[in-house]
């Protein structure tokens, strides 16, 4: 392997694949190394966060940032976006004020209008005036008398189906329906892998683990880094560390002074009885980490639902959030490492999934009859610095010819890729990069049918029902 690649990327999660594809689009030769059998096989994602409405505690600025980044990613990966809305509600027991949420939504509508004025193709969340709709108790009382709609197309139809199932006497009024969409990780992974296979600018190495990185920047060898893998050694000029929660391991070996947090979380897969009409995603806000943290019900196809409950018994874990102490890489305890490396005990899958079902049944009483529908969707994510409330991505360049990506939300991937491309140019690794673009011809060339087939395979390889690879609202 004497070839020297311009850029080497460790980790084929959403961050690594977007860097590789955007570099390929710009004609920059790169190598992407992923230890697993397929790309995007790390922690899950299910929600696009186009507006940050699942996070009542973050700033308006972070909400705008999330909206902009989400729109950019939805344009890159349209076949992974599930265009069903999200119900946002606040239980009467919670401190959050619905008026504050409404004010923020008005701010987001104005911002969305600005984004569409800049570029009409940004209108991926529908018309700005339809971005959200408010429902009072009187509205809900009227909607529950309407017939259920099998495949809703208007906000009122979605809300009719939801109102018939929710015990809304427990919720502060009004409630809101927002055009916050679902995001399918299997479909994103499939589109990315097919696109990577279509370009000769990226060498994709799957089933390949980078064991260690050797810094040869001052050795006059004509390249800067050696990536020692379980198969061979790859030589690269510029290194992107996109290895997810393991990012610190390489920083530590290179004696870089960086700190981060890592967090292990899980969402649960359940199967419910068939219901007569599709429902929106449902959010019941609550303070994260308390026994009444946010409850989130995410619909998938064929009566499968994913559940998050932001309590320590469900999505969060005792000792699930750890920070760097001596070195750069924080360390989980034995129990969490076992889950990450070898999977879960059957009993714990059942106990936690059943708890999650009961948690949702507080607000959707008939959901009590749901059962375990598959293994949990779990993983660890990295959080730069020490601010757990941070919800936007980051990248840093702690030494020459080296970038470390630390995205918190999958939606940050393109922003971070663009920052890395800027740095590659500043470091003069390649002579000139034409103007950056937020589109990708390799992604555009992949067909829906190819994605359907590979996404189903991705789900099954990981032990999940293949229904999780489909969209509730099928794209034309
Ligand atoms: C339960 C849960 C729910 C979430 N929900 C959402 C959501 O709804 N929306 C959202 O936007 N985000 C969500 N996230 C966050 C999201 O999953 C992450 O932000 C995102 O996956 C991070 O992508 P990444 O590419 O940085 O890292 P990863 O996806 O972790 O990718 C890193 C890759 O590097 C590979 N790797 C590591 N070490 C090596 C090595 N030595 N050699 C080769 N390969 C290596 C790994 O196998 C992995 O594939 C959620 C996270 C969790 C845990």
């Amino acid at each position: 392997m004497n070839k020297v690649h311009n850029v080497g990327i460790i980790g084929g999660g959403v961050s690594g694949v977007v860097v590789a594809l955007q570099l390929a689009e710009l004609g920059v030769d790169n190598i992407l190394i992923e230890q697993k059998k397929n790309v995007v096989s790390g922690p899950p994602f299910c929600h696009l966060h186009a507006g940050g409405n699942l996070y009542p505690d973050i700033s308006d600025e972070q909400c705008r940032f999330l909206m902009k980044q989400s729109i950019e990613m939805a344009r890159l990966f349209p076949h992974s976006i599930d265009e069903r809305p999200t119900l946002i509600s606040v239980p009467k027991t919670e401190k959050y004020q619905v008026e504050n949420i409404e004010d923020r939504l008005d701010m987001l509508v104005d911002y969305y209008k600005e984004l569409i004025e800049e570029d009409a193709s940004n209108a991926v969340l529908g018309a700005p005036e339809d971005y959200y709709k408010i429902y009072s108790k009187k509205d809900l009382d009227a909607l529950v008398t309407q017939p259920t709609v099998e495949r809703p197309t208007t906000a009122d139809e979605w809300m009719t189906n939801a109102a018939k199932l929710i015990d809304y006497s427990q919720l502060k009024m009004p409630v809101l329906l927002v055009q916050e969409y679902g995001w399918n990780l299997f479909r994103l992974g499939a589109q990315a892998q097919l696109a990577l296979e279509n370009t000769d600018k990226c060498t994709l190495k799957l089933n390949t683990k980078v064991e260690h990185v050797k810094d040869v920047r001052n050795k006059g060898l004509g390249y800067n880094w050696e990536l020692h893998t379980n198969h061979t050694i790859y030589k690269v000029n510029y290194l992107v560390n996109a290895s997810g929660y393991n990012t610190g391991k390489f920083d530590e070996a290179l004696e870089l002074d960086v700190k981060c947090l890592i967090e292990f979380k899980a969402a649960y897969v359940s199967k419910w009885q068939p219901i007569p009409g599709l429902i929106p995603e449902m959010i019941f806000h609550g303070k994260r980490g308390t026994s009444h943290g946010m409850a989130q019900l995410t619909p998938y196809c064929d009566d499968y639902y994913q559940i998050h409950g932001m309590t320590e018994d469900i999505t969060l874990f005792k000792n699930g959030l750890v920070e760097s102490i001596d070195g750069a890489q924080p360390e989980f305890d034995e129990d969490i490492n076992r889950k990450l490396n070898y999977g879960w005990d059957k009993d714990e899958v059942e106990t936690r999934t059943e708890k999650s079902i009961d948690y949702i049944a507080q607000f959707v009483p008939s959901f009590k009859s749901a059962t375990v529908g598959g293994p949990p969707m779990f993983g660890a994510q990295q959080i730069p610095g020490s601010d757990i409330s941070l919800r936007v991505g980051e990248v840093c360049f702690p030494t020459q010819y080296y970038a470390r990506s630390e995205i918190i939300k999958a939606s940050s991937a393109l922003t971070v890729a663009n920052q890395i491309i800027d740095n590659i140019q500043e470091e003069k690794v390649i002579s000139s990069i034409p103007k950056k673009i937020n589109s990708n011809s390799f992604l555009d060339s992949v067909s829906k049918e190819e994605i359907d087939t590979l996404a189903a395979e991705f789900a099954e390889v990981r032990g999940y029902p293949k229904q999780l690879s489909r969209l509730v609202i099928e794209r034309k």
Side-chain angles (χ1 to χ4, degrees):
M1 286 282 161
N2 284 323
K3 177 169 179 173
V4 175
H5 296 275
N6 270 322
V7 182
I9 303 155
I10 308 175
V14 61
S15 182
V17 298
V18 172
V19 174
L21 282 163
Q22 290 305 89
L23 284 170
E25 183 71 11
L26 295 168
V28 180
D29 152 76
N30 67 87
I31 179 165
L32 174 63
I33 304 174
E34 167 54 47
Q35 63 189 354
K36 302 237 173 96
K37 198 173 167 204
N38 293 308
V39 298
V40 194
S41 297
F45 46 88
C46 65
H47 195 97
L48 185 62
H49 295 294
N53 293 293
L54 269 57
Y55 305 113
D57 299 314
I58 64 173
S59 68
D60 285 2
E61 194 193 348
Q62 287 195 44
C63 291
R64 284 193 292 271
F65 208 47
L66 278 170
M67 176 179 260
K68 184 170 191 298
Q69 293 181 327
S70 298
I71 289 174
E72 287 170 356
M73 287 294 281
R75 288 179 58 181
L76 268 192
F77 294 96
H79 292 288
S80 63
I81 305 301
D82 210 341
E83 290 181 354
R84 43 85 194 134
T86 299
L87 165 84
I88 304 282
S89 70
V90 181
K92 284 179 178 162
T93 48
E94 298 304 312
K95 63 165 189 170
Y96 299 112
Q97 300 298 322
V98 183
E99 300 74 54
N100 296 347
I101 299 178
E102 280 180 58
D103 291 347
R104 207 161 80 167
L105 282 163
D106 287 334
M107 175 278 295
L108 283 167
V109 170
D110 289 342
Y111 183 61
Y112 182 38
K113 283 182 191 158
E114 278 173 37
L115 293 175
I116 296 174
E117 268 162 35
E118 274 168 30
D119 182 346
S121 308
N122 282 334
V124 295
L125 309 172
E129 50 281 12
D130 297 335
Y131 178 65
Y132 81 97
K133 187 161 180 187
I134 301 177
Y135 291 89
S136 64
K137 178 169 180 305
K138 196 166 149 230
D139 296 330
L140 296 183
D141 288 343
L143 287 178
V144 288
T145 65
Q146 299 298 310
T148 301
V149 182
E150 193 181 334
R151 301 197 66 78
T153 52
T154 65
D156 286 359
E157 289 174 353
W158 282 104
M159 193 50 109
T160 299
N161 291 0
K164 284 169 186 269
L165 297 168
I166 303 168
D167 174 6
Y168 55 83
S169 67
Q170 294 194 53
L171 305 177
K172 286 185 184 174
M173 288 293 142
V175 297
L176 304 131
L177 195 77
V178 185
Q179 294 303 314
E180 281 247 26
Y181 294 156
W183 205 1
N184 191 294
L185 83 152
F186 302 112
R187 301 184 69 82
L188 184 142
Q191 190 180 353
Q193 191 155 308
L194 290 159
L196 287 163
E197 284 162 2
N198 281 343
T199 163
D200 55 9
K201 286 291 171 193
C202 175
T203 305
L204 174 62
K205 291 285 168 193
L206 296 169
N207 292 312
T208 306
K209 180 169 182 173
V210 178
E211 311 275 12
H212 74 272
V213 172
K214 192 165 167 196
D215 178 359
V216 293
R217 285 175 293 179
N218 298 319
K219 302 267 192 280
L221 296 175
Y223 57 92
N224 294 318
W225 307 98
E226 282 178 3
L227 309 184
H228 292 241
T229 72
N230 46 342
H231 300 304
T232 186
I233 299 171
Y234 296 102
K235 300 164 184 171
V236 306
N237 282 322
Y238 188 99
L239 179 59
V240 179
N241 178 357
S243 57
Y245 78 96
N246 281 316
T247 314
K249 287 195 177 142
F250 297 107
D251 302 328
E252 210 163 277
L254 296 170
E255 297 180 356
L256 300 173
D257 182 22
V258 278
K259 297 274 176 238
C260 67
L261 294 159
I262 55 174
E263 187 173 34
F264 179 82
K265 293 189 299 184
Y268 300 87
V269 178
S270 62
K271 184 131 190 345
W272 198 13
Q273 80 237 14
I275 52 170
L278 298 177
I279 55 169
E281 174 157 333
M282 295 184 186
I283 300 296
F284 306 96
H285 274 311
K287 190 162 170 44
R288 191 183 205 273
T290 63
S291 60
H292 45 100
M294 179 187 80
Q296 176 181 1
L297 182 66
T298 309
Y300 280 82
C301 282
D302 293 351
D303 314 308
Y304 283 95
Y305 295 83
Q306 190 190 305
I307 305 168
H308 284 80
M310 291 300 169
T311 78
E312 257 190 19
D313 287 347
I314 302 176
T315 289
L316 309 177
F317 288 74
K318 191 169 184 300
N319 304 326
L321 178 68
V322 287
E323 60 182 331
S324 326
I325 300 176
D326 295 330
Q329 178 64 34
E331 289 299 338
F332 287 123
D333 66 18
E334 211 185 309
D335 178 46
I336 292 181
N337 274 325
R338 200 175 47 244
K339 287 190 177 68
L340 279 167
N341 298 319
Y342 305 104
W344 291 47
D345 292 341
K346 194 168 168 279
D347 285 355
E348 197 174 356
V349 172
E350 276 171 21
T351 321
R352 283 206 177 232
T353 310
E354 280 158 12
K355 274 190 187 152
S356 74
I357 291 169
D358 290 347
Y359 202 60
I360 294 294
Q362 299 175 83
F363 305 108
V364 185
S366 51
F367 196 71
K368 182 102 183 110
S369 61
T371 52
V372 179
M377 318 257 300
F378 64 95
Q381 66 186 112
Q382 66 278 21
I383 304 164
S386 56
D387 180 2
I388 177 69
S389 72
L390 201 64
R391 286 281 169 260
V392 283
E394 242 200 18
V395 57
C396 64
F397 307 97
T399 186
Q400 203 180 16
Y401 307 127
Y402 182 87
R404 64 196 292 283
S405 160
E406 284 189 295
I407 66 168
I408 303 168
K409 289 284 151 219
S411 46
S412 317
L414 182 59
T415 308
V416 164
N418 282 334
Q419 286 171 284
I420 292 174
I421 291 168
D422 283 343
N423 188 257
I424 291 174
Q425 206 162 7
E426 279 158 27
E427 302 266 21
K428 301 194 175 15
V429 175
I430 31 184
S431 47
S432 83
I433 295 183
K435 192 177 166 331
K436 281 195 310 287
I437 31 161
N438 285 355
S439 58
N440 192 285
S441 57
F442 303 108
L443 285 169
D444 293 346
S445 68
V446 180
S447 72
K448 175 184 173 298
E449 291 66 34
E450 289 174 292
I451 297 172
D452 287 346
T453 308
L454 191 61
E457 211 177 294
F458 276 16
E460 284 188 311
V461 163
R462 292 178 66 183
Y464 297 109
K466 65 175 186 302
Q467 286 89 339
L468 297 193
S469 70
R470 285 170 30 212
L471 300 179
V472 172
I473 302 297
E474 180 121 11
R475 293 181 79 86
K476 303 270 173 351

